[in-house]
Amino acid sequence: MGEIEVRGISASPGIGMGKVFRLEQKRLVIPEEEIPEEQVEQEIGRFLEGRRKAFEQLAGIHARAVENLSGEEAEVFEGHLEILMDEDLEEEIKERIGGYRFSAEKALGEVFEENAREMEELENPYMRERAADLRDIGRRLLYAVAGEELVSLDSLEEEVIVIAEDLTPSDTAQMDKKRILGFATERGGLTSHVTIMAKSLEIPAVVGAGELLSHCRDNQIAVLDGTAGSVVFDPREETRSACGEKISLLKKEREFLDRLRDLPAETLDGHRVELCANIGSERELEGVLSHGAEGIGLFRTEFLYMDKGRLPTEEEQFAVYRKVAESLGGKGIIIRTLDIGGDKDVPGLGLQKEENPFLGWRAVRMCLDLPEMFALQLRAILRASHYGKLRIMYPMVISLSEIRRLNALLGKAKDDLRAAGVPFDEDIEVGIMIETPAAALTAHILIREVDFFSIGTNDLTQYTLAVDRGNERIADLYQPLHPAVLQLIHRVILASHEEGKWTGMCGELAGDERAAPLLLGMGLDEFSMSAGSIPRIKDIIRRSSRADLRELAVRVLNAGESREILEILKAYRSESLSPGTQGQNDLI
Amino acid sequence: MISREIEIVNETGLHTRPGNQFVKLAKTFESEITVRKGDREFSGKSLLKLMKIGISLGDRILITCSGEDEETALDELCRFVAALTE
């Protein structure tokens, strides 16, 4: 018999191989007939008795969740208990039994389903998801009333791969994490409960795979690849050995990353740089710390403006900035002020469609025209600066006068807070993002007005080469390693050092394994990237010497075209990198 | 009977967990407690109702308390909502 592969959505990375455990509930037959009047009392009694049993089960799950999950996740089950015992639900169910002569099962099934549907109609997606909680509670009650057991994952005897139609919150809370190698569900998507749980428990998972249960049997061998989003039943010998290799490689990699986490990003000859993370919302904070970031080099604030259908208040912004400031301890966080306009719509601003959005009314141009809106953001950042190490960064600057006007607004915001006696960091540093050729070419002038630079390579490349990065027909022309772009980057770094200040980079190039040695050789002080890239870049830096990298930078800056530059960088990586201090060269 | 209007300031609104805390707190008072959002009004002591009405960030809700401990109840419930952070 050949292997069967089923593909779904990659919900949580990693790979597992083991026996299949099908999580399938027994189908219940709901008594549809009208009940005779004399049976009403008895049906209500069955409902109440079932509810008592369901309450005991849920209380047990809650106790287990308190032990195994975070306090917050456990509290959700307190909410479940509260809903199970809800008086209105009880009345609605009794009404259907007594008034419509429904069986207890039919009555409660309808009541829970109706309420879940109502919840699904809400605008807030978070609340809509809660309909799943309600159905979960309803199902537990239904089985309890019918006197049937719900199959659960709490007493697995060996390590398994769980295959299910869907997993409910109570299924995942009961799961014995150590015995689960991975799971795959027929339903679910990237924002559903299973996906969130799988990620937080770090269990490989595939969701939304369509038909699964009909393809497998209990105890059959399966390979589940959460990274690729596939499940293979009855894998061939080659599939099994490939999977075994991947598992051991992942294990090695994890050990390697763990060892690197707390080590500095320092070259063999003792030159240290800072590796930071870019984040786009406070939800990404966890990954920042777990990958060993030394700070946040770019905190995008656009999500605050785009998610809500209206502009955020000062308080809302303050709460988010403060949370970020506090969770990073004393580590630096660069908050980029609103960088929006043209191509991104913000409800509440009434933006008009522009012919050339990337060359239009965006970022600081808009903020300078809307000083009152901008003042709210500045005040929120300043107030939060009392709770951690925040820095402010203005995007899309092209001239000295812009910086002066922006700083004047910042000065005004500080005066207001001072007058009101609100504490903030008086020494908060201010920088600009360098993403236009204009700013790069006048860096030596602009640096006098600010404390630092951070280079945004995505826009700098697009503006320097006049290449729209979204246009596929000219995708080959979009080349951050073009000599013109590199000359500008070098110029910016030197200009900041002349004044005893520093330059970071928060564009994609900073996390590019080919480019990192070059950028360090050119003198870049801070590299900010998606958190997951940090360990690899750190590894490369720790295996290089600054003297070699300076020489590498000179050679690259004298090269005539991108292709030549790529070859030099490739040769450096394959020939000149020292064997890993970690003894893990095979990983890069 | 006293009422006060208050704005929801936390990102996810009164979802399961904060909602449950709200209901738990409401149940500690003798007073009858209602919550109004737009033109819908419901008991502040039912988590299910609270969730069904979908109270989210930026919503303004009117909390009304009526009974012997109405003042303490209203103060404490408003303070609870204002202090939500997640």
Side-chain angles (χ1 to χ4, degrees):
Chain A
M1 207 173 80
E3 63 177 37
I4 301 171
E5 181 176 355
V6 184
R7 305 196 68 88
I9 301 165
S10 157
S12 175
I15 189 162
M17 176 162 60
K19 286 184 183 169
V20 166
F21 179 92
R22 298 165 87 249
L23 181 69
E24 206 176 20
Q25 305 300 347
K26 183 175 171 183
R27 283 198 190 283
L28 293 185
V29 181
I30 309 288
E32 292 288 337
E33 323 76 63
E34 195 174 292
I35 56 167
E37 191 176 353
E38 59 274 20
Q39 206 184 312
V40 167
E41 279 307 307
Q42 196 190 329
E43 285 299 301
I44 290 179
R46 286 181 59 230
F47 156 59
L48 293 173
E49 173 57 18
R51 191 173 70 165
R52 198 188 53 73
K53 274 197 258 165
F55 186 89
E56 275 171 22
Q57 291 171 9
L58 256 180
I61 292 171
H62 173 246
R64 199 182 171 97
V66 170
E67 263 174 52
N68 299 331
L69 301 169
S70 75
E72 295 188 0
E73 283 160 306
E75 261 185 75
V76 167
F77 291 101
E78 258 184 56
H80 283 199
L81 285 165
E82 176 71 32
I83 289 176
L84 178 68
M85 304 307 284
D86 188 276
E87 284 169 21
D88 289 308
L89 275 182
E90 179 181 330
E91 283 315 309
E92 283 180 56
I93 292 168
K94 284 181 176 165
E95 167 66 29
R96 276 185 170 68
I97 298 174
Y100 303 170
R101 304 277 173 76
F102 282 0
S103 66
E105 288 94 334
K106 188 175 178 192
L108 75 92
E110 268 199 23
V111 168
F112 271 89
E113 188 54 32
E114 261 174 33
N115 282 287
R117 289 230 177 98
E118 262 183 73
M119 228 177 265
E120 274 171 342
E121 280 163 19
L122 295 174
E123 277 170 34
N124 179 339
Y126 191 88
M127 288 293 184
R128 276 204 304 263
E129 287 277 323
R130 301 286 69 76
D133 289 85
L134 200 58
R135 291 202 173 93
D136 186 12
I137 302 163
R139 189 185 68 171
R140 176 166 307 282
L141 178 57
L142 182 64
Y143 276 71
V145 169
E148 292 289 347
E149 292 280 319
L150 274 173
V151 182
S152 82
L153 299 170
D154 64 349
S155 48
L156 297 168
E157 279 164 16
E158 54 186 337
E159 295 189 323
V160 294
I161 287 181
V162 176
I163 306 290
E165 184 189 347
D166 202 354
L167 290 176
T168 65
S170 55
D171 287 332
T172 44
Q174 283 174 291
M175 232 156 48
D176 182 352
K177 180 178 158 185
K178 287 182 233 77
R179 297 259 160 97
I180 296 192
L181 299 164
F183 57 76
T185 59
E186 296 186 337
R187 302 202 299 187
L190 283 178
T191 58
S192 55
H193 171 81
V194 273
T195 305
I196 295 162
M197 286 303 287
K199 277 195 182 139
S200 92
L201 295 172
E202 299 186 5
I203 292 175
V206 175
V207 300
E211 289 276 297
L212 276 175
L213 289 163
S214 58
H215 292 303
C216 62
R217 307 173 308 274
D218 277 330
N219 297 321
Q220 181 180 27
I221 297 296
V223 166
L224 182 137
D225 188 336
T227 313
S230 70
V231 196
V232 180
F233 298 111
D234 279 334
R236 277 193 292 268
E237 192 44 47
E238 305 93 271
T239 313
R240 289 185 195 210
S241 63
C243 167
E245 272 168 36
K246 274 195 206 166
I247 291 173
S248 73
L249 195 67
L250 279 173
K251 191 165 161 252
K252 257 200 210 164
E253 189 177 45
R254 173 154 298 216
E255 288 167 3
F256 160 69
L257 297 184
D258 281 347
R259 275 203 305 274
L260 267 181
R261 185 183 306 145
D262 300 318
L263 295 174
E266 189 175 87
T267 59
L268 295 168
D269 46 357
H271 176 71
R272 190 164 171 179
V273 292
E274 216 170 87
L275 299 188
C276 299
N278 295 341
I279 63 170
S281 83
E282 85 231 58
R283 294 202 187 89
E284 294 165 49
L285 278 171
E286 203 174 314
V288 169
L289 298 172
S290 67
H291 287 94
E294 294 167 90
I296 291 173
L298 170 64
F299 179 40
R300 303 183 184 93
T301 55
E302 290 71 62
F303 78 99
L304 286 166
Y305 293 78
M306 299 175 77
D307 288 358
K308 301 192 165 64
R310 60 173 176 80
L311 296 175
T313 64
E314 179 182 326
E315 289 306 318
E316 284 163 14
Q317 296 192 61
F318 168 64
V320 172
Y321 302 151
R322 175 178 171 170
K323 183 174 173 194
V324 175
E326 285 176 336
S327 29
L328 267 270
K331 291 176 176 164
I333 298 145
I334 300 179
I335 299 190
R336 179 174 72 185
T337 60
L338 184 58
D339 182 10
I340 221 159
D343 61 326
K344 297 178 210 152
D345 189 37
V346 180
L349 276 182
L351 296 182
Q352 312 214 319
K353 242 188 145 42
E354 297 185 348
E355 290 262 327
N356 273 314
F358 281 104
L359 306 181
W361 194 59
R362 57 177 289 204
V364 294
R365 300 167 183 185
M366 176 192 293
C367 291
L368 284 169
D369 286 349
L370 301 170
E372 281 161 22
M373 175 195 78
F374 190 49
L376 293 185
Q377 181 170 39
L378 292 176
R379 286 169 54 95
I381 298 172
L382 285 171
R383 286 170 57 197
S385 72
H386 181 62
Y387 302 91
K389 176 86 188 139
L390 298 186
R391 298 186 174 101
I392 296 174
M393 175 164 75
Y394 307 129
M396 270 296 284
V397 166
I398 58 166
S399 71
L400 192 61
S401 66
E402 281 171 341
I403 301 178
R404 289 187 173 148
R405 287 165 63 204
L406 291 160
N407 276 340
L409 292 172
L410 180 64
K412 168 83 172 49
K414 286 183 177 175
D415 289 343
D416 290 350
L417 291 179
R418 240 178 253 125
V422 179
F424 65 93
D425 177 8
E426 288 278 354
D427 301 319
I428 190 165
E429 289 177 24
V430 176
I432 55 170
M433 208 161 153
I434 303 277
E435 47 193 334
T436 62
L441 289 166
T442 54
H444 58 295
I445 300 168
L446 305 183
I447 191 66
R448 294 178 205 149
E449 303 286 325
V450 295
D451 300 302
F452 67 90
F453 286 147
S454 183
I455 304 173
T457 47
N458 306 350
D459 273 345
L460 184 62
T461 303
Q462 152 161 295
Y463 292 134
T464 304
L465 304 181
V467 170
D468 176 356
R469 60 196 304 252
N471 186 334
E472 283 176 22
R473 291 185 75 169
I474 51 170
D476 57 318
L477 296 181
Y478 179 83
Q479 182 46 267
L481 291 171
H482 186 287
V485 180
L486 294 178
Q487 293 292 343
L488 290 176
I489 291 173
H490 193 218
R491 193 183 177 101
V492 170
I493 297 171
L494 293 181
S496 69
H497 291 177
E498 283 280 307
E499 290 283 322
K501 294 173 180 173
W502 56 276
T503 296
M505 180 177 286
C506 54
E508 279 167 29
L509 200 59
D512 184 319
E513 293 169 35
R514 300 163 308 173
L518 167 67
L519 295 167
L520 196 148
M522 284 162 70
L524 193 72
D525 302 288
E526 179 239 39
F527 297 62
S528 194
M529 60 199 78
S530 53
S533 306
I534 291 176
R536 284 168 187 285
I537 298 295
K538 191 188 276 184
D539 178 52
I540 292 174
I541 290 172
R542 291 180 60 83
R543 290 162 55 188
S544 304
S545 84
R546 192 188 189 191
D548 287 352
L549 296 182
R550 276 192 170 138
E551 205 179 293
L552 175 74
V554 171
R555 277 198 292 145
V556 166
L557 288 168
N558 283 310
E561 57 170 333
S562 309
R563 207 177 42 191
E564 199 184 328
I565 292 171
L566 280 167
E567 273 163 22
I568 297 173
L569 295 177
K570 204 169 136 198
Y572 173 80
R573 274 192 65 187
S574 56
E575 292 157 23
S576 311
L577 267 191
S578 303
T581 44
Q582 312 302 318
Q584 290 281 349
N585 326 334
D586 52 327
L587 283 171
I588 61 167
Chain B
M1 186 175 84
I2 50 171
S3 311
R4 200 176 304 157
E5 196 181 55
I6 182 161
E7 186 180 334
I8 304 296
V9 291
N10 67 318
E11 196 177 349
T12 49
L14 283 184
H15 61 86
T16 323
R17 202 152 39 76
N20 186 40
Q21 290 165 347
F22 181 93
V23 170
K24 253 205 227 164
L25 182 60
K27 283 184 171 172
T28 62
F29 302 109
E30 288 292 311
S31 294
E32 199 167 297
I33 294 168
T34 61
V35 176
R36 170 182 280 275
K37 178 189 151 186
D39 54 3
R40 300 177 72 186
E41 191 170 52
F42 51 94
S43 162
K45 295 184 181 180
S46 164
L47 176 60
L48 181 73
K49 292 279 168 62
L50 212 59
M51 285 173 66
K52 265 164 58 181
I53 222 127
I55 297 177
S56 327
L57 177 67
D59 282 344
R60 303 193 68 87
I61 55 171
L62 183 77
I63 303 178
T64 302
C65 303
S66 162
E68 293 212 342
D69 53 3
E70 59 187 31
E71 280 184 26
T72 339
L74 188 63
D75 279 349
E76 291 205 17
L77 289 169
C78 287
R79 199 177 311 140
F80 172 80
V81 173
L84 289 173
T85 52
E86 66 190 78

